[in-house]
Amino acid sequence: MKEEVKLMKGNEAIAHAAVRYGCDGYFGYPITPQSEVLETLEALMPWETTGMVVLQAESEVASINMVYGGASTGKAVMTSSSSPGISLMQEGMSYIAAGELPALVVNVMRGGPGLGTIQPSQSDYFQATKGGGHGDYHYIVLAPSTVQEMADFVALGFDLAFKYRTPAMLLADGIVGQMMEKVVLPEPRPRRTAEEIARQCPWAVTGNPSDRKPNVLTTLELESDKMEVNNRRLQATYRQIEQNEVRYQEYFTDDAEVVFVAFGSIARICLKAIEDARGQGIKVGLLRPITLWPFPTEEISRLANRVKGMMVVELNAGQMIEDVKLAVEGRVPVYHYGRMGGVIPNPQEVFDATLSHFPFLKK
Amino acid sequence: MKTEIIAAGFGGQGVLSMGKILAYAGLIDDLEVTWMPSYGPEQRGGTANVTVVISDKPISSPVLDSYDTAVVLNQQSLDKFEPKVKPGGSLIYDPYGIHRLPTRTDINIYPVAAMDAAMELKSAKSYNMIILGALLKINPIVSIESVMTGLKKTLPERHHHLLPANREAISRGMELI
């Protein structure tokens, strides 16, 4: 056995990856099914090694505003929560996006609406990709489906957040948060020095040295003309992100008659259904969006030219299917299979639902 | 070679830990593993189950509809998972507290009186290791050495004096088959 291969939960992997990334601060409040993120950070005690701050705040609202403050100083800061807690953070998310600040927010989704259940769900897709707070804003949304991706996307999320000066979200669910599998953790790297932060983030508010003008970060602009300029700048960044950062993975799509579109852990359940179907000679494939925003619209549009239909499978009532339909533009039928409230379908149920919509697949 | 296992029982019986030890041994044997728990808000007294997949190839889904082996430690779990064992697969159950016995004839059924054995060993906590021993006798998915290495690595050092008792419980479980 190679020494660096570990067995851990997705939530634990996030904590380890954050410390190893050189994250400067984590601010959070416990909630199932992601409490292991904070618990693991407390056990790792990174304040004694890298100097990373780990703080259990008094609430989610406080956590996101601590992130807002930390991000304003150019530090790599993050929070994590689960659905109801992320709802509480939406005002802060809008401010961080408007302030053009890099930050990482982890949502390990559970069943809603309301206080809901503690079981896995994907019902925050709309909130994450369409903007859950007020105003015209987006942030990058990464959807991990393995424990390895839980670890890898911490670094990816931070890197993209700093590259585009935008918040990034790791949108996971209770399955990939709670399950254990093998993971290779990234090489530890030191936290950035004050000089490195000043170079990377000339906009950061780090005090008022005599050799430059004071930096001011505000999301308030009372003159509409100027506020529209701010909005145009945000929109220009979003177009750039849409052009450069779409990520997805395809499985067995080359000869597929029907393609599944699914993200996160449910994509793995679809993949098992596909493996079983392929065993019977049934040609189905999978497109797994890795970035939910920006969405792989172009690739889905290309697929729509050569498949007979698409099957969107989600742990919700039908959210991502809207983006799939926009990409398909009515060229082929698009159906949905979803479970809600924390119920997880098994591969057979996914397959049966698919056959009911596409009976020609039956051999 | 891929083995798909469900272990189910009451919270506190140690099914999640048993699954974790199995998964860790798979890791040591350089196999692919997934460990997927399912339990309610209460950890003790409620029902809990864990799906463990151990394979020499990458594992797609951690959630399954049928299993090669089901380890069921209470009546609800037996009722729920007996129908989900693949034909030719194995069902392992502890007769303690079971009043409706399994009825399938197309699977291998192994009653393992682990509760009685744990009483004899005067160690209720060794219960899940007795079950694990039985499971590994029926299906040697991972080696006993890897299980012991895994235990040594995951147990804090202050508990290392319990390793021989765990080894004994595994042996006791193997004898029950």
Side-chain angles (χ1 to χ4, degrees):
Chain A
M1 185 185 72
K2 289 184 216 107
E3 199 46 49
E4 64 270 28
V5 182
K6 307 260 188 207
L7 181 72
M8 62 173 73
K9 291 184 172 190
N11 290 334
E12 295 166 341
I14 286 176
H16 284 274
V19 177
R20 284 165 176 251
Y21 179 77
C23 178
D24 295 299
Y26 170 97
F27 311 92
Y29 189 81
I31 179 172
T32 306
Q34 64 79 53
S35 295
E36 293 92 350
V37 179
L38 177 55
E39 286 166 10
T40 306
L41 284 169
E42 294 284 358
L44 289 172
M45 299 198 287
W47 53 90
E48 289 189 354
T49 50
T50 71
M52 175 185 176
V53 172
V54 179
L55 187 81
Q56 179 174 331
E58 69 269 34
S59 71
E60 288 87 350
V61 175
S63 307
I64 194 71
N65 283 292
M66 289 172 182
V67 169
Y68 184 20
S72 301
T73 68
K75 300 278 187 184
V77 290
M78 67 181 290
T79 184
S80 68
S81 188
S82 179
S83 307
I86 296 288
S87 289
L88 287 166
M89 295 182 183
Q90 290 307 310
E91 182 197 39
M93 292 295 288
S94 171
Y95 279 59
I96 295 168
E100 293 167 89
L101 297 173
L104 183 66
V105 176
V106 178
N107 180 2
V108 183
M109 291 180 279
R110 62 189 238 180
L115 211 44
T117 69
I118 61 165
Q119 315 297 349
S121 171
Q122 297 179 319
S123 50
D124 306 345
Y125 177 91
F126 281 152
Q127 183 192 60
T129 60
K130 312 295 175 190
H134 58 282
D136 273 320
Y137 74 94
H138 278 293
Y139 45 83
I140 295 165
V141 183
L142 301 167
S145 71
T146 61
V147 172
Q148 186 65 54
E149 285 186 339
M150 290 288 256
D152 294 346
F153 289 0
V154 169
L156 178 62
F158 268 127
D159 287 347
L160 292 174
F162 275 93
K163 182 175 176 189
Y164 294 100
R165 283 187 63 181
T166 174
M169 177 177 276
L170 215 155
L171 190 69
D173 58 65
I175 297 178
V176 73
Q178 292 291 331
M179 71 178 282
M180 289 199 296
E181 61 186 343
K182 278 158 74 166
V183 58
V184 178
L185 294 172
E187 284 298 311
R189 51 186 237 192
R191 289 167 54 233
R192 292 164 306 151
T193 62
E195 292 73 36
E196 285 167 335
I197 290 175
R199 255 200 315 279
Q200 189 186 13
C201 312
W203 44 264
V205 285
T206 55
N208 187 16
S210 49
D211 58 347
R212 66 161 166 81
K213 280 196 206 160
N215 282 334
V216 177
L217 286 171
T218 176
T219 64
L220 178 70
E221 178 50 70
L222 292 174
E223 286 181 50
S224 355
D225 288 344
K226 285 186 181 166
M227 192 60 206
E228 192 180 44
V229 170
N230 289 351
N231 266 280
R232 286 193 194 287
R233 193 175 57 249
L234 284 177
Q235 293 302 319
T237 303
Y238 298 152
R239 297 299 88 74
Q240 245 190 319
I241 295 171
E242 284 170 337
Q243 207 163 15
N244 302 336
E245 305 301 343
V246 173
R247 287 169 168 78
Y248 57 86
Q249 203 168 4
E250 288 184 49
Y251 310 79
F252 308 108
T253 50
D254 286 349
D255 62 345
E257 292 183 290
V258 170
V259 166
F260 287 90
V261 186
F263 69 95
S265 48
I266 192 77
R268 298 180 61 168
I269 297 174
C270 289
L271 192 56
K272 170 84 174 166
I274 291 164
E275 286 169 2
D276 294 348
R278 288 259 163 190
Q280 302 171 45
I282 296 171
K283 290 179 178 164
V284 281
L286 168 69
L287 184 139
R288 176 174 74 91
I290 292 171
T291 50
L292 300 180
W293 192 89
F295 193 69
T297 307
E298 279 181 31
E299 182 56 20
I300 292 173
S301 176
R302 269 195 296 275
L303 282 173
N305 286 330
R306 61 169 207 257
V307 302
K308 291 181 182 161
M310 294 204 189
M311 188 73 203
V312 182
V313 184
E314 301 175 79
L315 294 177
N316 61 43
Q319 300 193 11
M320 184 177 68
I321 187 173
E322 293 191 2
D323 289 325
V324 174
K325 281 184 168 173
L326 284 171
V328 169
E329 292 179 304
R331 278 169 288 169
V332 292
V334 179
Y335 292 106
H336 188 263
Y337 178 66
R339 299 301 296 267
M340 293 163 284
V343 176
I344 308 166
N346 65 41
Q348 186 64 45
E349 289 169 312
V350 168
F351 187 57
D352 289 346
T354 308
L355 283 186
S356 74
H357 290 301
F358 298 103
F360 62 83
L361 286 174
K362 246 177 241 167
K363 292 283 164 182
Chain B
M1 188 61 203
K2 180 160 76 172
T3 310
E4 299 173 331
I5 302 163
I6 181 100
F10 290 119
Q13 278 181 316
V15 289
L16 299 188
S17 309
M18 188 186 82
K20 187 174 172 179
I21 292 162
L22 204 51
Y24 207 91
L27 173 84
I28 289 166
D29 285 351
D30 215 11
L31 297 164
E32 297 299 322
V33 295
T34 62
W35 176 95
M36 168 75 198
S38 169
Y39 49 83
E42 73 288 75
Q43 291 234 12
R44 192 169 305 215
T47 58
N49 71 62
V50 62
T51 306
V52 177
V53 185
I54 299 181
S55 174
D56 54 4
K57 295 198 180 65
I59 298 161
S60 53
S61 177
V63 178
L64 304 167
D65 43 64
S66 58
Y67 309 91
D68 299 307
T69 300
V71 179
V72 291
L73 304 180
N74 62 18
Q75 187 71 55
Q76 294 100 304
S77 303
L78 195 157
D79 295 345
K80 186 171 176 188
F81 293 111
E82 185 190 358
K84 295 185 176 174
V85 177
K86 294 177 197 169
S90 304
L91 178 79
I92 299 167
Y93 75 101
D94 186 343
Y96 188 88
I98 297 293
H99 51 92
R100 270 194 314 279
L101 295 172
T103 54
R104 278 178 65 179
T105 52
D106 61 338
I107 58 174
N108 304 302
I109 294 173
Y110 301 93
V112 176
M115 186 63 90
D116 296 342
M119 295 301 182
E120 281 166 29
L121 290 175
K122 294 190 175 53
S123 166
K125 282 186 179 169
S126 66
Y127 181 68
N128 61 348
M129 299 307 287
I130 297 172
I131 295 283
L132 180 63
L135 169 64
L136 291 177
K137 179 74 184 291
I138 294 161
N139 188 352
I141 319 150
V142 294
S143 64
I144 305 292
E145 293 73 52
S146 297
V147 168
M148 292 313 294
T149 312
L151 272 176
K152 201 170 172 183
K153 283 198 169 192
T154 48
L155 278 179
E157 209 147 303
R158 66 178 191 279
H159 291 145
H160 278 190
H161 67 280
L162 296 170
L163 288 171
N166 278 284
R167 183 68 183 82
E168 193 191 342
I170 291 173
S171 298
R172 187 75 193 94
M174 296 182 96
E175 288 163 18
L176 292 176
I177 295 302

